[in-house]
Amino acid sequence: MQFARVNDVTIHYQIIGRPAGKPVIVFANSLGTDFRIWRDVIVRLAGDFNIVLYDKRGHGLSDIGQLPYSIDDHASDLIGLLETLEVERAFICGLSVGGLIAQSLYQQRPDLVRGLILCDTAHKIGTAETWNARIEAVENYGIGNIVDAVMERWFTPAFRRPENQAYAGYCNMLARQPVEGYAATCGAIRDADFTEAAGKIAVPTICIVGDQDGSTPPDLVRHTANLIPNARFETIRDAGHIPCVEQPEALTAVIRAFIDFALHGDQADE
């Protein structure tokens, strides 16, 4: 396991492969998860890319840090980690809140970003009322109290079968996140709004969404893509909010095709 001290927070991260000359992909995971959600995508990309994974503050094995959080705080952590690892011009692949972090990172340090892969995310997610209710629920009753409701947004009915052992495992992953980190990140999502900033994104960008996503529905993600100049939009069939778990092969194919397009465009401009 690998750890780095960034902004007075210990961040858990992993580097997979360092093939010379290969593009870098940085994966930022969703609310209530750790970086293990990317496993089935990573095994399909390893060897062709340099891969960086990390647990954002308040999640997984990373520190909770000082409360409250903002999305800019999360992005600052990622910036510090990339500087520590001497990573430049990476493709930032962010899922849900990870996509908000990716947008903030681009605002703060566009020089670090070669392209954006925005999965099941948006320029603005949810309302103050819904996030405040979520925060109140977890602070009063624990994350276990909301697992069933969240899983209905994360996964399709086909995945949520009782006999699916993976489904039980992801329920455990959510329930075992630190309440303080989870609630603080809910507050950060509540307060984030990149509607105006989306129109200023000037790197290759793709917005991807599961066709049954209950957290950031396809229409919302498509609208986000429409705000970003020249952004692409792709739907992953038979997937909810976390297609890297339900449909990793399809998601990997979209990621590969997008990066191939982005790199070809880079070469054409030279």
Side-chain angles (χ1 to χ4, degrees):
M1 292 187 288
Q2 297 163 304
F3 297 90
R5 192 71 175 171
V6 177
N7 298 329
D8 292 325
V9 176
T10 296
I11 297 293
H12 177 220
Y13 72 94
Q14 185 174 12
I15 296 175
I16 298 178
R18 278 283 178 116
K22 298 293 186 180
V24 181
I25 309 177
V26 178
F27 289 92
N29 43 285
S30 56
L31 176 67
T33 67
D34 59 51
F35 66 59
R36 288 175 292 183
I37 63 170
W38 298 105
R39 178 193 175 278
D40 290 341
V41 170
I42 291 160
V43 296
R44 292 171 166 84
L45 296 173
D48 294 329
F49 299 92
N50 296 299
I51 296 169
V52 177
L53 306 145
Y54 80 107
D55 291 337
K56 60 187 165 291
R57 64 168 65 194
H59 288 70
L61 299 184
S62 292
D63 281 350
I64 292 172
Q66 186 172 354
L67 306 175
Y69 303 161
S70 69
I71 291 299
D72 287 347
D73 292 331
H74 282 297
S76 179
D77 292 343
L78 181 52
I79 290 167
L81 178 63
L82 296 182
E83 289 178 337
T84 298
L85 301 178
E86 299 182 343
V87 170
E88 299 177 351
R89 295 200 71 215
F91 289 95
I92 312 298
C93 181
L95 174 65
S96 193
V97 66
L100 295 175
I101 294 168
Q103 292 172 74
S104 176
L105 186 152
Y106 178 77
Q107 274 197 308
Q108 296 182 53
R109 290 289 304 276
D111 58 298
L112 295 177
V113 182
R114 191 170 196 173
L116 292 171
I117 303 167
L118 304 178
C119 295
D120 298 83
T121 190
H123 56 97
K124 182 171 178 56
I125 301 175
T127 65
E129 292 75 16
T130 58
W131 288 115
N132 288 338
R134 176 97 56 104
I135 292 167
E136 183 179 2
V138 299
E139 287 182 339
N140 289 337
Y141 305 106
I143 295 177
N145 181 65
I146 65 167
V147 166
D148 289 345
V150 171
M151 290 296 148
E152 290 181 2
R153 299 181 177 91
W154 278 15
F155 298 120
T156 63
F159 190 85
R160 299 197 313 270
R161 294 174 289 107
E163 64 271 22
N164 181 4
Q165 296 177 356
Y167 174 61
Y170 285 104
C171 289
N172 291 340
M173 178 183 286
L174 172 60
R176 294 174 185 175
Q177 298 301 317
V179 169
E180 300 96 324
Y182 184 91
T185 303
C186 287
I189 298 170
R190 175 197 62 204
D191 298 338
D193 187 343
F194 294 100
T195 305
E196 182 177 349
K200 300 176 183 178
I201 294 175
V203 293
T205 301
I206 188 169
C207 297
I208 307 168
V209 64
D211 64 352
Q212 298 178 51
D213 188 333
S215 294
T216 53
D219 286 348
L220 175 61
V221 179
R222 183 187 293 274
H223 178 61
T224 301
N226 290 340
L227 293 174
I228 300 171
N230 303 311
R232 294 187 163 200
F233 173 78
E234 291 282 349
T235 301
I236 304 295
R237 294 181 58 185
D238 302 319
H241 190 55
I242 308 187
C244 51
V245 169
E246 281 199 272
Q247 300 296 340
E249 186 171 356
L251 180 60
T252 303
V254 171
I255 290 172
R256 281 187 177 275
F258 168 72
I259 292 178
D260 286 345
F261 164 79
L263 295 178
H264 177 76
D266 283 351
Q267 293 168 0
D269 291 338
E270 293 176 354

